[in-house]
């Protein structure tokens, strides 16, 4: 498999889960804090799972818009939203793993058309392609 790269970015994390992360252009600049549920202090700051959830949600909307642009029978409404729930925990095989649930809200779109759009978007979304057969991803329509 090859990718014709159209955009590249860089971000650097320092200090791990209790440190910071910053993109090369400075647009992303966050404090990282390990959640109490993972043995950390919690408090102000974000964590990799929250950033993954935000990125996957935004990217999935982009994938739905790309699919809809090819199939003009459905329009993605301006108030579309995707809520990604990301879970992390120990795997039975060792190490840690993730699971994701994407809840898609497509106001005003027929349920059958919305479900078809979600399934097609899941085939083209870069996050979906990166996680396919690696982590459990559940899709639902709000």
């Amino acid at each position: 498999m090859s990718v014709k790269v159209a955009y590249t970015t860089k971000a650097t994390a320092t200090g791990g889960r209790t440190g910071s992360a910053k993109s090369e252009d400075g647009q992303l600049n966050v404090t990282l804090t390990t959640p109490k549920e993972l043995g950390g202090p919690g408090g102000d700051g974000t964590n990799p799972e929250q950033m993954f959830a935000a990125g996957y949600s935004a990217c999935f909307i982009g994938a739905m818009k790309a699919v809809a642009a090819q199939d003009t029978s459905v329009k993605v409404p301006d108030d579309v939203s995707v809520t990604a729930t990301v879970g992390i925990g120990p795997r039975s095989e060792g190490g840690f793993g993730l699971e994701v649930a994407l809840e898609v809200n497509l106001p005003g779109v027929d349920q059958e058309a919305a479900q078809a759009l979600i399934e097609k978007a899941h085939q083209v979304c870069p996050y979906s392609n990166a996680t396919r057969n690696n982590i459990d991803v559940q899709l639902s329509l709000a």
Side-chain angles (χ1 to χ4, degrees):
M1 177 185 73
S2 66
V3 175
K4 184 178 176 185
V5 176
Y7 171 74
T8 301
T9 189
K10 288 184 184 179
T12 301
T14 304
R17 287 182 165 271
T18 46
S20 63
K22 183 177 181 180
S23 62
E24 65 182 338
D25 63 4
Q27 292 299 308
L28 175 73
N29 189 354
V30 296
T31 299
L32 300 171
T33 303
T34 303
K36 288 181 180 181
E37 297 85 348
L38 295 178
D44 293 339
T46 190
N47 59 64
E49 293 72 37
Q50 289 174 330
M51 291 190 290
F52 186 78
Y56 203 158
S57 296
C59 195
F60 200 83
I61 291 172
M64 288 190 297
K65 289 180 177 182
V67 168
Q70 300 298 314
D71 176 6
T72 56
S73 68
V74 63
K75 181 185 179 306
V76 176
D78 291 338
D79 57 349
V80 60
S81 66
V82 174
T83 300
T85 302
V86 174
I88 182 173
R91 296 173 356 124
S92 59
E93 303 87 353
F96 287 83
L98 299 173
E99 65 177 27
V100 176
L102 298 178
E103 182 181 34
V104 181
N105 185 11
L106 289 161
V109 177
D110 169 77
Q111 184 171 356
E112 187 175 318
Q115 196 63 48
L117 178 63
I118 291 167
E119 293 299 328
K120 289 177 185 174
H122 190 48
Q123 297 306 308
V124 301
C125 175
Y127 277 69
S128 294
N129 286 331
T131 60
R132 192 172 331 282
N133 300 320
N134 293 313
I135 67 172
D136 184 29
V137 177
Q138 299 294 317
L139 303 172
S140 66
L141 182 60

